[in-house]
Amino acid sequence: MSTLTEEKVSVQPLADRVLVEPAPAEEKTAFGIIIPDTAKEKPQRGTVLAAGPGKKDEPMTVKVGDTVLYGKYSGTELTVDGKDCLIMRESDIFAVIEQ
């Protein structure tokens, strides 16, 4: 799996917006059952590809490369450099996963 974190992204979010590449949806259950495309849930985890500078009074708390959890219906879908991504406000991110 290649990510854009090592490359320069052609989109720079403004203010408190964050560009996130969603993690791939689960292909199998824990018991090995293959999940069809129509039954897959939207991923709620992803990697930050780019982040804006933050608002005047609130600096950004997430940075490029962070793995984050966000709401199921958060953000706006768009394609950047051939990758499906989401752009959302930092407030739509629930947590940063430490690895």
Side-chain angles (χ1 to χ4, degrees):
M1 180 178 95
S2 67
T3 61
L4 296 175
T5 53
E6 299 87 24
E7 303 171 13
K8 179 80 172 143
V9 181
S10 63
V11 174
Q12 178 60 45
L14 301 176
D16 66 337
R17 306 255 191 230
V18 179
L19 184 68
V20 176
E21 179 182 18
E26 294 293 323
E27 300 285 330
K28 291 184 183 179
T29 65
F31 298 106
I33 298 171
I34 296 174
I35 302 170
D37 289 339
T38 56
K40 289 181 186 172
E41 291 196 16
K42 289 180 72 172
Q44 294 176 276
R45 174 185 208 155
T47 305
V48 176
L49 299 179
K55 291 185 178 178
K56 183 177 180 182
D57 301 335
E58 300 173 29
M60 294 295 279
T61 54
V62 298
K63 60 187 179 308
V64 173
D66 283 350
T67 301
V68 295
L69 295 177
Y70 51 86
K72 187 178 274 192
Y73 301 105
S74 296
T76 302
E77 295 178 355
L78 66 143
T79 303
V80 177
D81 299 333
K83 297 270 188 185
D84 292 330
C85 298
L86 294 169
I87 192 160
M88 62 184 74
R89 290 190 180 275
E90 185 183 34
S91 60
D92 291 337
I93 295 174
F94 299 140
V96 176
I97 300 172
E98 304 219 3
Q99 297 180 7

